[in-house]
PDB file of all heavy atoms in Angstrom:
ATOM      1  N   ILE A   1       6.207  45.219   5.017  1.00  0.00           N
ATOM      2  CA  ILE A   1       5.440  46.460   4.962  1.00  0.00           C
ATOM      3  C   ILE A   1       5.903  47.271   3.754  1.00  0.00           C
ATOM      4  O   ILE A   1       7.055  47.736   3.705  1.00  0.00           O
ATOM      5  CB  ILE A   1       5.615  47.292   6.249  1.00  0.00           C
ATOM      6  CG1 ILE A   1       5.286  46.434   7.474  1.00  0.00           C
ATOM      7  CG2 ILE A   1       4.737  48.538   6.213  1.00  0.00           C
ATOM      8  CD1 ILE A   1       5.721  47.050   8.775  1.00  0.00           C
ATOM      9  N   ASP A   2       5.025  47.400   2.766  1.00  0.00           N
ATOM     10  CA  ASP A   2       5.296  48.247   1.610  1.00  0.00           C
ATOM     11  C   ASP A   2       4.888  49.675   1.966  1.00  0.00           C
ATOM     12  O   ASP A   2       3.863  49.892   2.617  1.00  0.00           O
ATOM     13  CB  ASP A   2       4.505  47.748   0.399  1.00  0.00           C
ATOM     14  CG  ASP A   2       4.788  48.557  -0.855  1.00  0.00           C
ATOM     15  OD1 ASP A   2       5.840  49.218  -0.911  1.00  0.00           O
ATOM     16  OD2 ASP A   2       3.949  48.525  -1.775  1.00  0.00           O
ATOM     17  N   THR A   3       5.681  50.641   1.564  1.00  0.00           N
ATOM     18  CA  THR A   3       5.433  52.018   1.972  1.00  0.00           C
ATOM     19  C   THR A   3       5.416  52.954   0.770  1.00  0.00           C
ATOM     20  O   THR A   3       5.838  52.596  -0.340  1.00  0.00           O
ATOM     21  CB  THR A   3       6.522  52.498   2.959  1.00  0.00           C
ATOM     22  OG1 THR A   3       7.788  52.509   2.289  1.00  0.00           O
ATOM     23  CG2 THR A   3       6.586  51.604   4.172  1.00  0.00           C
ATOM     24  N   ALA A   4       4.938  54.160   1.018  1.00  0.00           N
ATOM     25  CA  ALA A   4       4.933  55.195  -0.013  1.00  0.00           C
ATOM     26  C   ALA A   4       6.360  55.579  -0.377  1.00  0.00           C
ATOM     27  O   ALA A   4       7.258  55.579   0.467  1.00  0.00           O
ATOM     28  CB  ALA A   4       4.162  56.425   0.479  1.00  0.00           C
ATOM     29  N   GLY A   5       6.573  55.916  -1.656  1.00  0.00           N
ATOM     30  CA  GLY A   5       7.888  56.354  -2.101  1.00  0.00           C
ATOM     31  C   GLY A   5       8.299  57.649  -1.419  1.00  0.00           C
ATOM     32  O   GLY A   5       7.475  58.536  -1.178  1.00  0.00           O
ATOM     33  N   LEU A   6       9.589  57.738  -1.097  1.00  0.00           N
ATOM     34  CA  LEU A   6      10.102  58.903  -0.366  1.00  0.00           C
ATOM     35  C   LEU A   6      10.673  59.919  -1.347  1.00  0.00           C
ATOM     36  O   LEU A   6      11.618  59.632  -2.091  1.00  0.00           O
ATOM     37  CB  LEU A   6      11.182  58.447   0.623  1.00  0.00           C
ATOM     38  CG  LEU A   6      10.705  57.457   1.702  1.00  0.00           C
ATOM     39  CD1 LEU A   6      11.878  56.935   2.518  1.00  0.00           C
ATOM     40  CD2 LEU A   6       9.683  58.116   2.613  1.00  0.00           C
ATOM     41  N   ARG A   7      10.066  61.093  -1.332  1.00  0.00           N
ATOM     42  CA  ARG A   7      10.536  62.181  -2.185  1.00  0.00           C
ATOM     43  C   ARG A   7       9.936  63.489  -1.684  1.00  0.00           C
ATOM     44  O   ARG A   7       9.008  63.499  -0.867  1.00  0.00           O
ATOM     45  CB  ARG A   7      10.137  61.955  -3.642  1.00  0.00           C
ATOM     46  CG  ARG A   7       8.625  61.980  -3.878  1.00  0.00           C
ATOM     47  CD  ARG A   7       8.299  61.861  -5.338  1.00  0.00           C
ATOM     48  NE  ARG A   7       6.852  61.784  -5.569  1.00  0.00           N
ATOM     49  CZ  ARG A   7       6.300  61.685  -6.782  1.00  0.00           C
ATOM     50  NH1 ARG A   7       7.074  61.646  -7.843  1.00  0.00           N
ATOM     51  NH2 ARG A   7       4.983  61.612  -6.911  1.00  0.00           N
ATOM     52  N   GLU A   8      10.461  64.592  -2.172  1.00  0.00           N
ATOM     53  CA  GLU A   8       9.893  65.895  -1.871  1.00  0.00           C
ATOM     54  C   GLU A   8       8.627  66.068  -2.699  1.00  0.00           C
ATOM     55  O   GLU A   8       8.628  65.829  -3.913  1.00  0.00           O
ATOM     56  CB  GLU A   8      10.895  67.007  -2.204  1.00  0.00           C
ATOM     57  CG  GLU A   8      12.142  66.996  -1.333  1.00  0.00           C
ATOM     58  CD  GLU A   8      11.830  67.299   0.124  1.00  0.00           C
ATOM     59  OE1 GLU A   8      10.848  68.032   0.376  1.00  0.00           O
ATOM     60  OE2 GLU A   8      12.554  66.812   1.000  1.00  0.00           O
ATOM     61  N   THR A   9       7.541  66.435  -2.047  1.00  0.00           N
ATOM     62  CA  THR A   9       6.273  66.578  -2.758  1.00  0.00           C
ATOM     63  C   THR A   9       5.408  67.626  -2.078  1.00  0.00           C
ATOM     64  O   THR A   9       5.522  67.862  -0.867  1.00  0.00           O
ATOM     65  CB  THR A   9       5.512  65.233  -2.802  1.00  0.00           C
ATOM     66  OG1 THR A   9       4.260  65.418  -3.475  1.00  0.00           O
ATOM     67  CG2 THR A   9       5.253  64.703  -1.410  1.00  0.00           C
ATOM     68  N   THR A  10       4.551  68.269  -2.877  1.00  0.00           N
ATOM     69  CA  THR A  10       3.595  69.240  -2.336  1.00  0.00           C
ATOM     70  C   THR A  10       2.201  68.635  -2.212  1.00  0.00           C
ATOM     71  O   THR A  10       1.288  69.280  -1.703  1.00  0.00           O
ATOM     72  CB  THR A  10       3.517  70.477  -3.249  1.00  0.00           C
ATOM     73  OG1 THR A  10       3.143  70.064  -4.573  1.00  0.00           O
ATOM     74  CG2 THR A  10       4.868  71.191  -3.298  1.00  0.00           C
ATOM     75  N   CYS A  11       2.045  67.366  -2.665  1.00  0.00           N
ATOM     76  CA  CYS A  11       0.741  66.687  -2.584  1.00  0.00           C
ATOM     77  C   CYS A  11       0.456  66.308  -1.127  1.00  0.00           C
ATOM     78  O   CYS A  11       1.232  65.569  -0.502  1.00  0.00           O
ATOM     79  CB  CYS A  11       0.739  65.455  -3.465  1.00  0.00           C
ATOM     80  SG  CYS A  11      -0.765  64.439  -3.313  1.00  0.00           S
ATOM     81  N   GLU A  12      -0.647  66.809  -0.591  1.00  0.00           N
ATOM     82  CA  GLU A  12      -0.967  66.584   0.813  1.00  0.00           C
ATOM     83  C   GLU A  12      -1.174  65.102   1.113  1.00  0.00           C
ATOM     84  O   GLU A  12      -0.711  64.584   2.135  1.00  0.00           O
ATOM     85  CB  GLU A  12      -2.217  67.377   1.192  1.00  0.00           C
ATOM     86  CG  GLU A  12      -2.587  67.256   2.669  1.00  0.00           C
ATOM     87  CD  GLU A  12      -3.798  68.092   3.035  1.00  0.00           C
ATOM     88  OE1 GLU A  12      -4.321  68.811   2.155  1.00  0.00           O
ATOM     89  OE2 GLU A  12      -4.227  68.016   4.205  1.00  0.00           O
ATOM     90  N   VAL A  13      -1.865  64.396   0.202  1.00  0.00           N
ATOM     91  CA  VAL A  13      -2.118  62.966   0.407  1.00  0.00           C
ATOM     92  C   VAL A  13      -0.806  62.190   0.412  1.00  0.00           C
ATOM     93  O   VAL A  13      -0.570  61.320   1.252  1.00  0.00           O
ATOM     94  CB  VAL A  13      -3.074  62.423  -0.669  1.00  0.00           C
ATOM     95  CG1 VAL A  13      -3.237  60.905  -0.519  1.00  0.00           C
ATOM     96  CG2 VAL A  13      -4.428  63.099  -0.585  1.00  0.00           C
ATOM     97  N   GLU A  14       0.085  62.506  -0.530  1.00  0.00           N
ATOM     98  CA  GLU A  14       1.365  61.804  -0.600  1.00  0.00           C
ATOM     99  C   GLU A  14       2.224  62.125   0.621  1.00  0.00           C
ATOM    100  O   GLU A  14       2.960  61.271   1.123  1.00  0.00           O
ATOM    101  CB  GLU A  14       2.096  62.191  -1.887  1.00  0.00           C
ATOM    102  CG  GLU A  14       3.246  61.253  -2.216  1.00  0.00           C
ATOM    103  CD  GLU A  14       3.823  61.495  -3.597  1.00  0.00           C
ATOM    104  OE1 GLU A  14       3.245  62.292  -4.368  1.00  0.00           O
ATOM    105  OE2 GLU A  14       4.868  60.891  -3.905  1.00  0.00           O
ATOM    106  N   GLN A  15       2.140  63.331   1.128  1.00  0.00           N
ATOM    107  CA  GLN A  15       2.881  63.705   2.333  1.00  0.00           C
ATOM    108  C   GLN A  15       2.444  62.871   3.533  1.00  0.00           C
ATOM    109  O   GLN A  15       3.271  62.460   4.353  1.00  0.00           O
ATOM    110  CB  GLN A  15       2.690  65.196   2.623  1.00  0.00           C
ATOM    111  CG  GLN A  15       3.439  66.113   1.673  1.00  0.00           C
ATOM    112  CD  GLN A  15       3.161  67.582   1.953  1.00  0.00           C
ATOM    113  OE1 GLN A  15       2.191  67.918   2.635  1.00  0.00           O
ATOM    114  NE2 GLN A  15       3.999  68.463   1.425  1.00  0.00           N
ATOM    115  N   ILE A  16       1.133  62.615   3.622  1.00  0.00           N
ATOM    116  CA  ILE A  16       0.638  61.768   4.709  1.00  0.00           C
ATOM    117  C   ILE A  16       1.207  60.354   4.574  1.00  0.00           C
ATOM    118  O   ILE A  16       1.638  59.731   5.551  1.00  0.00           O
ATOM    119  CB  ILE A  16      -0.900  61.739   4.709  1.00  0.00           C
ATOM    120  CG1 ILE A  16      -1.456  63.129   5.048  1.00  0.00           C
ATOM    121  CG2 ILE A  16      -1.420  60.695   5.714  1.00  0.00           C
ATOM    122  CD1 ILE A  16      -2.958  63.234   4.912  1.00  0.00           C
ATOM    123  N   GLY A  17       1.227  59.845   3.320  1.00  0.00           N
ATOM    124  CA  GLY A  17       1.797  58.518   3.089  1.00  0.00           C
ATOM    125  C   GLY A  17       3.263  58.447   3.456  1.00  0.00           C
ATOM    126  O   GLY A  17       3.735  57.459   4.041  1.00  0.00           O
ATOM    127  N   ILE A  18       4.018  59.508   3.144  1.00  0.00           N
ATOM    128  CA  ILE A  18       5.447  59.535   3.477  1.00  0.00           C
ATOM    129  C   ILE A  18       5.642  59.577   4.992  1.00  0.00           C
ATOM    130  O   ILE A  18       6.542  58.921   5.539  1.00  0.00           O
ATOM    131  CB  ILE A  18       6.110  60.742   2.787  1.00  0.00           C
ATOM    132  CG1 ILE A  18       6.141  60.514   1.268  1.00  0.00           C
ATOM    133  CG2 ILE A  18       7.515  60.968   3.327  1.00  0.00           C
ATOM    134  CD1 ILE A  18       6.604  61.717   0.468  1.00  0.00           C
ATOM    135  N   ALA A  19       4.798  60.330   5.691  1.00  0.00           N
ATOM    136  CA  ALA A  19       4.880  60.366   7.158  1.00  0.00           C
ATOM    137  C   ALA A  19       4.629  58.981   7.745  1.00  0.00           C
ATOM    138  O   ALA A  19       5.290  58.564   8.702  1.00  0.00           O
ATOM    139  CB  ALA A  19       3.873  61.372   7.709  1.00  0.00           C
ATOM    140  N   ARG A  20       3.687  58.248   7.156  1.00  0.00           N
ATOM    141  CA  ARG A  20       3.411  56.883   7.637  1.00  0.00           C
ATOM    142  C   ARG A  20       4.572  55.945   7.314  1.00  0.00           C
ATOM    143  O   ARG A  20       4.817  54.971   8.035  1.00  0.00           O
ATOM    144  CB  ARG A  20       2.104  56.373   7.020  1.00  0.00           C
ATOM    145  CG  ARG A  20       0.878  57.123   7.535  1.00  0.00           C
ATOM    146  CD  ARG A  20      -0.408  56.553   6.981  1.00  0.00           C
ATOM    147  NE  ARG A  20      -1.560  57.262   7.557  1.00  0.00           N
ATOM    148  CZ  ARG A  20      -2.832  56.960   7.291  1.00  0.00           C
ATOM    149  NH1 ARG A  20      -3.119  55.975   6.459  1.00  0.00           N
ATOM    150  NH2 ARG A  20      -3.800  57.653   7.858  1.00  0.00           N
ATOM    151  N   THR A  21       5.272  56.225   6.211  1.00  0.00           N
ATOM    152  CA  THR A  21       6.452  55.428   5.890  1.00  0.00           C
ATOM    153  C   THR A  21       7.488  55.527   7.005  1.00  0.00           C
ATOM    154  O   THR A  21       8.012  54.522   7.492  1.00  0.00           O
ATOM    155  CB  THR A  21       7.082  55.901   4.568  1.00  0.00           C
ATOM    156  OG1 THR A  21       6.179  55.642   3.495  1.00  0.00           O
ATOM    157  CG2 THR A  21       8.404  55.183   4.307  1.00  0.00           C
ATOM    158  N   TRP A  22       7.781  56.761   7.451  1.00  0.00           N
ATOM    159  CA  TRP A  22       8.775  56.941   8.503  1.00  0.00           C
ATOM    160  C   TRP A  22       8.291  56.375   9.833  1.00  0.00           C
ATOM    161  O   TRP A  22       9.100  55.883  10.641  1.00  0.00           O
ATOM    162  CB  TRP A  22       9.139  58.413   8.643  1.00  0.00           C
ATOM    163  CG  TRP A  22       9.954  58.909   7.482  1.00  0.00           C
ATOM    164  CD1 TRP A  22       9.611  59.842   6.557  1.00  0.00           C
ATOM    165  CD2 TRP A  22      11.256  58.438   7.114  1.00  0.00           C
ATOM    166  NE1 TRP A  22      10.606  60.005   5.635  1.00  0.00           N
ATOM    167  CE2 TRP A  22      11.643  59.166   5.958  1.00  0.00           C
ATOM    168  CE3 TRP A  22      12.139  57.502   7.641  1.00  0.00           C
ATOM    169  CZ2 TRP A  22      12.864  58.962   5.322  1.00  0.00           C
ATOM    170  CZ3 TRP A  22      13.346  57.299   7.009  1.00  0.00           C
ATOM    171  CH2 TRP A  22      13.710  58.021   5.865  1.00  0.00           C
ATOM    172  N   ALA A  23       6.981  56.404  10.060  1.00  0.00           N
ATOM    173  CA  ALA A  23       6.444  55.775  11.278  1.00  0.00           C
ATOM    174  C   ALA A  23       6.671  54.269  11.233  1.00  0.00           C
ATOM    175  O   ALA A  23       7.019  53.650  12.245  1.00  0.00           O
ATOM    176  CB  ALA A  23       4.956  56.096  11.416  1.00  0.00           C
ATOM    177  N   ALA A  24       6.487  53.655  10.037  1.00  0.00           N
ATOM    178  CA  ALA A  24       6.729  52.214   9.899  1.00  0.00           C
ATOM    179  C   ALA A  24       8.203  51.889  10.071  1.00  0.00           C
ATOM    180  O   ALA A  24       8.561  50.859  10.663  1.00  0.00           O
ATOM    181  CB  ALA A  24       6.237  51.734   8.525  1.00  0.00           C
ATOM    182  N   VAL A  25       9.073  52.761   9.595  1.00  0.00           N
ATOM    183  CA  VAL A  25      10.515  52.558   9.758  1.00  0.00           C
ATOM    184  C   VAL A  25      10.883  52.520  11.241  1.00  0.00           C
ATOM    185  O   VAL A  25      11.698  51.710  11.682  1.00  0.00           O
ATOM    186  CB  VAL A  25      11.294  53.675   9.031  1.00  0.00           C
ATOM    187  CG1 VAL A  25      12.771  53.650   9.447  1.00  0.00           C
ATOM    188  CG2 VAL A  25      11.176  53.514   7.522  1.00  0.00           C
ATOM    189  N   GLY A  26      10.242  53.390  12.020  1.00  0.00           N
ATOM    190  CA  GLY A  26      10.539  53.441  13.445  1.00  0.00           C
ATOM    191  C   GLY A  26      10.168  52.185  14.201  1.00  0.00           C
ATOM    192  O   GLY A  26      10.712  51.923  15.283  1.00  0.00           O
ATOM    193  N   LYS A  27       9.268  51.373  13.658  1.00  0.00           N
ATOM    194  CA  LYS A  27       8.834  50.144  14.325  1.00  0.00           C
ATOM    195  C   LYS A  27       9.457  48.888  13.718  1.00  0.00           C
ATOM    196  O   LYS A  27       9.208  47.786  14.198  1.00  0.00           O
ATOM    197  CB  LYS A  27       7.306  50.032  14.248  1.00  0.00           C
ATOM    198  CG  LYS A  27       6.561  51.177  14.922  1.00  0.00           C
ATOM    199  CD  LYS A  27       5.057  51.039  14.725  1.00  0.00           C
ATOM    200  CE  LYS A  27       4.316  52.204  15.360  1.00  0.00           C
ATOM    201  NZ  LYS A  27       2.839  52.110  15.132  1.00  0.00           N
ATOM    202  N   ALA A  28      10.239  49.043  12.667  1.00  0.00           N
ATOM    203  CA  ALA A  28      10.758  47.887  11.940  1.00  0.00           C
ATOM    204  C   ALA A  28      11.975  47.285  12.623  1.00  0.00           C
ATOM    205  O   ALA A  28      12.677  47.952  13.399  1.00  0.00           O
ATOM    206  CB  ALA A  28      11.109  48.290  10.511  1.00  0.00           C
ATOM    207  N   THR A  29      12.219  46.006  12.335  1.00  0.00           N
ATOM    208  CA  THR A  29      13.435  45.338  12.803  1.00  0.00           C
ATOM    209  C   THR A  29      14.448  45.167  11.669  1.00  0.00           C
ATOM    210  O   THR A  29      15.615  44.912  11.920  1.00  0.00           O
ATOM    211  CB  THR A  29      13.112  43.959  13.398  1.00  0.00           C
ATOM    212  OG1 THR A  29      12.333  43.204  12.456  1.00  0.00           O
ATOM    213  CG2 THR A  29      12.318  44.105  14.681  1.00  0.00           C
ATOM    214  N   LEU A  30      13.991  45.292  10.422  1.00  0.00           N
ATOM    215  CA  LEU A  30      14.851  45.220   9.241  1.00  0.00           C
ATOM    216  C   LEU A  30      14.329  46.212   8.208  1.00  0.00           C
ATOM    217  O   LEU A  30      13.130  46.500   8.171  1.00  0.00           O
ATOM    218  CB  LEU A  30      14.852  43.818   8.620  1.00  0.00           C
ATOM    219  CG  LEU A  30      15.423  42.646   9.406  1.00  0.00           C
ATOM    220  CD1 LEU A  30      15.126  41.340   8.677  1.00  0.00           C
ATOM    221  CD2 LEU A  30      16.917  42.809   9.584  1.00  0.00           C
ATOM    222  N   ALA A  31      15.218  46.688   7.355  1.00  0.00           N
ATOM    223  CA  ALA A  31      14.800  47.579   6.273  1.00  0.00           C
ATOM    224  C   ALA A  31      15.430  47.116   4.964  1.00  0.00           C
ATOM    225  O   ALA A  31      16.619  46.752   4.928  1.00  0.00           O
ATOM    226  CB  ALA A  31      15.185  49.019   6.565  1.00  0.00           C
ATOM    227  N   LEU A  32      14.633  47.122   3.906  1.00  0.00           N
ATOM    228  CA  LEU A  32      15.136  46.890   2.556  1.00  0.00           C
ATOM    229  C   LEU A  32      15.045  48.214   1.810  1.00  0.00           C
ATOM    230  O   LEU A  32      13.945  48.732   1.589  1.00  0.00           O
ATOM    231  CB  LEU A  32      14.308  45.823   1.837  1.00  0.00           C
ATOM    232  CG  LEU A  32      14.257  44.425   2.467  1.00  0.00           C
ATOM    233  CD1 LEU A  32      13.457  43.475   1.577  1.00  0.00           C
ATOM    234  CD2 LEU A  32      15.654  43.874   2.697  1.00  0.00           C
ATOM    235  N   LEU A  33      16.190  48.786   1.448  1.00  0.00           N
ATOM    236  CA  LEU A  33      16.222  50.017   0.672  1.00  0.00           C
ATOM    237  C   LEU A  33      16.294  49.634  -0.799  1.00  0.00           C
ATOM    238  O   LEU A  33      17.307  49.106  -1.266  1.00  0.00           O
ATOM    239  CB  LEU A  33      17.425  50.872   1.058  1.00  0.00           C
ATOM    240  CG  LEU A  33      17.650  52.120   0.193  1.00  0.00           C
ATOM    241  CD1 LEU A  33      16.463  53.074   0.293  1.00  0.00           C
ATOM    242  CD2 LEU A  33      18.943  52.824   0.574  1.00  0.00           C
ATOM    243  N   LEU A  34      15.205  49.873  -1.526  1.00  0.00           N
ATOM    244  CA  LEU A  34      15.175  49.526  -2.937  1.00  0.00           C
ATOM    245  C   LEU A  34      15.757  50.659  -3.772  1.00  0.00           C
ATOM    246  O   LEU A  34      15.430  51.839  -3.558  1.00  0.00           O
ATOM    247  CB  LEU A  34      13.747  49.212  -3.389  1.00  0.00           C
ATOM    248  CG  LEU A  34      13.408  47.716  -3.333  1.00  0.00           C
ATOM    249  CD1 LEU A  34      13.191  47.273  -1.897  1.00  0.00           C
ATOM    250  CD2 LEU A  34      12.224  47.378  -4.205  1.00  0.00           C
ATOM    251  N   ILE A  35      16.596  50.260  -4.733  1.00  0.00           N
ATOM    252  CA  ILE A  35      17.314  51.211  -5.576  1.00  0.00           C
ATOM    253  C   ILE A  35      17.188  50.746  -7.023  1.00  0.00           C
ATOM    254  O   ILE A  35      17.266  49.540  -7.310  1.00  0.00           O
ATOM    255  CB  ILE A  35      18.800  51.292  -5.166  1.00  0.00           C
ATOM    256  CG1 ILE A  35      18.919  51.739  -3.701  1.00  0.00           C
ATOM    257  CG2 ILE A  35      19.585  52.222  -6.084  1.00  0.00           C
ATOM    258  CD1 ILE A  35      20.308  51.559  -3.120  1.00  0.00           C
ATOM    259  N   ASP A  36      16.986  51.676  -7.920  1.00  0.00           N
ATOM    260  CA  ASP A  36      16.949  51.353  -9.347  1.00  0.00           C
ATOM    261  C   ASP A  36      18.370  51.049  -9.802  1.00  0.00           C
ATOM    262  O   ASP A  36      19.247  51.927  -9.780  1.00  0.00           O
ATOM    263  CB  ASP A  36      16.369  52.529 -10.131  1.00  0.00           C
ATOM    264  CG  ASP A  36      16.057  52.163 -11.585  1.00  0.00           C
ATOM    265  OD1 ASP A  36      16.779  51.305 -12.150  1.00  0.00           O
ATOM    266  OD2 ASP A  36      15.106  52.739 -12.151  1.00  0.00           O
ATOM    267  N   SER A  37      18.625  49.796 -10.184  1.00  0.00           N
ATOM    268  CA  SER A  37      19.992  49.388 -10.519  1.00  0.00           C
ATOM    269  C   SER A  37      20.531  50.100 -11.754  1.00  0.00           C
ATOM    270  O   SER A  37      21.741  50.127 -11.975  1.00  0.00           O
ATOM    271  CB  SER A  37      20.052  47.872 -10.736  1.00  0.00           C
ATOM    272  OG  SER A  37      19.164  47.487 -11.767  1.00  0.00           O
ATOM    273  N   ARG A  38      19.656  50.708 -12.544  1.00  0.00           N
ATOM    274  CA  ARG A  38      20.119  51.437 -13.728  1.00  0.00           C
ATOM    275  C   ARG A  38      20.782  52.756 -13.347  1.00  0.00           C
ATOM    276  O   ARG A  38      21.583  53.298 -14.104  1.00  0.00           O
ATOM    277  CB  ARG A  38      18.945  51.711 -14.672  1.00  0.00           C
ATOM    278  CG  ARG A  38      18.302  50.455 -15.260  1.00  0.00           C
ATOM    279  CD  ARG A  38      17.048  50.802 -16.017  1.00  0.00           C
ATOM    280  NE  ARG A  38      16.035  51.399 -15.131  1.00  0.00           N
ATOM    281  CZ  ARG A  38      14.865  51.860 -15.578  1.00  0.00           C
ATOM    282  NH1 ARG A  38      14.572  51.806 -16.867  1.00  0.00           N
ATOM    283  NH2 ARG A  38      13.996  52.362 -14.724  1.00  0.00           N
ATOM    284  N   GLU A  39      20.448  53.272 -12.163  1.00  0.00           N
ATOM    285  CA  GLU A  39      20.974  54.574 -11.759  1.00  0.00           C
ATOM    286  C   GLU A  39      21.967  54.480 -10.604  1.00  0.00           C
ATOM    287  O   GLU A  39      22.559  55.492 -10.213  1.00  0.00           O
ATOM    288  CB  GLU A  39      19.813  55.488 -11.353  1.00  0.00           C
ATOM    289  CG  GLU A  39      18.798  55.719 -12.457  1.00  0.00           C
ATOM    290  CD  GLU A  39      17.675  56.631 -12.010  1.00  0.00           C
ATOM    291  OE1 GLU A  39      17.813  57.268 -10.934  1.00  0.00           O
ATOM    292  OE2 GLU A  39      16.656  56.706 -12.714  1.00  0.00           O
ATOM    293  N   ALA A  40      22.140  53.277 -10.045  1.00  0.00           N
ATOM    294  CA  ALA A  40      22.995  53.100  -8.858  1.00  0.00           C
ATOM    295  C   ALA A  40      22.469  53.975  -7.725  1.00  0.00           C
ATOM    296  O   ALA A  40      21.303  54.357  -7.708  1.00  0.00           O
ATOM    297  CB  ALA A  40      24.446  53.397  -9.177  1.00  0.00           C
ATOM    298  N   ILE A  41      23.313  54.289  -6.754  1.00  0.00           N
ATOM    299  CA  ILE A  41      22.864  55.079  -5.606  1.00  0.00           C
ATOM    300  C   ILE A  41      22.895  56.558  -5.955  1.00  0.00           C
ATOM    301  O   ILE A  41      23.939  57.096  -6.329  1.00  0.00           O
ATOM    302  CB  ILE A  41      23.738  54.798  -4.376  1.00  0.00           C
ATOM    303  CG1 ILE A  41      23.597  53.335  -3.948  1.00  0.00           C
ATOM    304  CG2 ILE A  41      23.359  55.709  -3.216  1.00  0.00           C
ATOM    305  CD1 ILE A  41      24.369  52.970  -2.708  1.00  0.00           C
ATOM    306  N   THR A  42      21.748  57.191  -5.812  1.00  0.00           N
ATOM    307  CA  THR A  42      21.621  58.614  -6.103  1.00  0.00           C
ATOM    308  C   THR A  42      21.728  59.422  -4.810  1.00  0.00           C
ATOM    309  O   THR A  42      21.645  58.864  -3.708  1.00  0.00           O
ATOM    310  CB  THR A  42      20.268  58.896  -6.772  1.00  0.00           C
ATOM    311  OG1 THR A  42      19.224  58.628  -5.818  1.00  0.00           O
ATOM    312  CG2 THR A  42      20.071  58.012  -7.995  1.00  0.00           C
ATOM    313  N   PRO A  43      21.888  60.732  -4.896  1.00  0.00           N
ATOM    314  CA  PRO A  43      21.874  61.566  -3.684  1.00  0.00           C
ATOM    315  C   PRO A  43      20.590  61.400  -2.876  1.00  0.00           C
ATOM    316  O   PRO A  43      20.620  61.479  -1.640  1.00  0.00           O
ATOM    317  CB  PRO A  43      22.018  62.987  -4.243  1.00  0.00           C
ATOM    318  CG  PRO A  43      22.760  62.816  -5.522  1.00  0.00           C
ATOM    319  CD  PRO A  43      22.259  61.519  -6.096  1.00  0.00           C
ATOM    320  N   GLN A  44      19.474  61.155  -3.568  1.00  0.00           N
ATOM    321  CA  GLN A  44      18.204  60.939  -2.850  1.00  0.00           C
ATOM    322  C   GLN A  44      18.259  59.638  -2.042  1.00  0.00           C
ATOM    323  O   GLN A  44      17.758  59.579  -0.909  1.00  0.00           O
ATOM    324  CB  GLN A  44      17.040  60.885  -3.853  1.00  0.00           C
ATOM    325  CG  GLN A  44      16.721  62.218  -4.515  1.00  0.00           C
ATOM    326  CD  GLN A  44      17.639  62.529  -5.692  1.00  0.00           C
ATOM    327  OE1 GLN A  44      18.480  61.698  -6.078  1.00  0.00           O
ATOM    328  NE2 GLN A  44      17.495  63.721  -6.247  1.00  0.00           N
ATOM    329  N   ASP A  45      18.881  58.590  -2.611  1.00  0.00           N
ATOM    330  CA  ASP A  45      19.039  57.335  -1.863  1.00  0.00           C
ATOM    331  C   ASP A  45      19.949  57.531  -0.654  1.00  0.00           C
ATOM    332  O   ASP A  45      19.695  56.995   0.430  1.00  0.00           O
ATOM    333  CB  ASP A  45      19.618  56.241  -2.772  1.00  0.00           C
ATOM    334  CG  ASP A  45      18.688  55.879  -3.921  1.00  0.00           C
ATOM    335  OD1 ASP A  45      17.467  55.827  -3.688  1.00  0.00           O
ATOM    336  OD2 ASP A  45      19.191  55.657  -5.041  1.00  0.00           O
ATOM    337  N   GLU A  46      21.017  58.296  -0.851  1.00  0.00           N
ATOM    338  CA  GLU A  46      21.929  58.579   0.257  1.00  0.00           C
ATOM    339  C   GLU A  46      21.209  59.330   1.373  1.00  0.00           C
ATOM    340  O   GLU A  46      21.455  59.085   2.565  1.00  0.00           O
ATOM    341  CB  GLU A  46      23.121  59.408  -0.244  1.00  0.00           C
ATOM    342  CG  GLU A  46      24.026  58.684  -1.225  1.00  0.00           C
ATOM    343  CD  GLU A  46      24.927  57.666  -0.550  1.00  0.00           C
ATOM    344  OE1 GLU A  46      24.828  57.512   0.688  1.00  0.00           O
ATOM    345  OE2 GLU A  46      25.736  57.035  -1.254  1.00  0.00           O
TER     346      GLU A  46
END
């Protein structure tokens, strides 16, 4: 399940996508947290 990127946003459409992301997380059995290897783990990833 590919999901919307998680970030703070004021876009109503993107907010709906982020809400669906967390709904998908609640039903998942595994999670892959993708991180940009050029930046390592950021506070947002944490």
Side-chain angles (χ1 to χ4, degrees):
I1 306 167
D2 182 21
T3 64
L6 299 173
R7 65 176 176 179
E8 294 295 331
T9 178
T10 58
C11 174
E12 183 178 357
V13 175
E14 195 171 352
Q15 287 177 343
I16 294 173
I18 291 172
R20 292 183 177 182
T21 294
W22 289 115
V25 168
K27 299 176 182 178
T29 52
L30 295 172
L32 300 183
L33 173 62
L34 266 75
I35 300 167
D36 191 328
S37 58
R38 296 172 298 176
E39 301 180 13
I41 296 183
T42 66
Q44 290 82 5
D45 296 321
E46 294 284 1

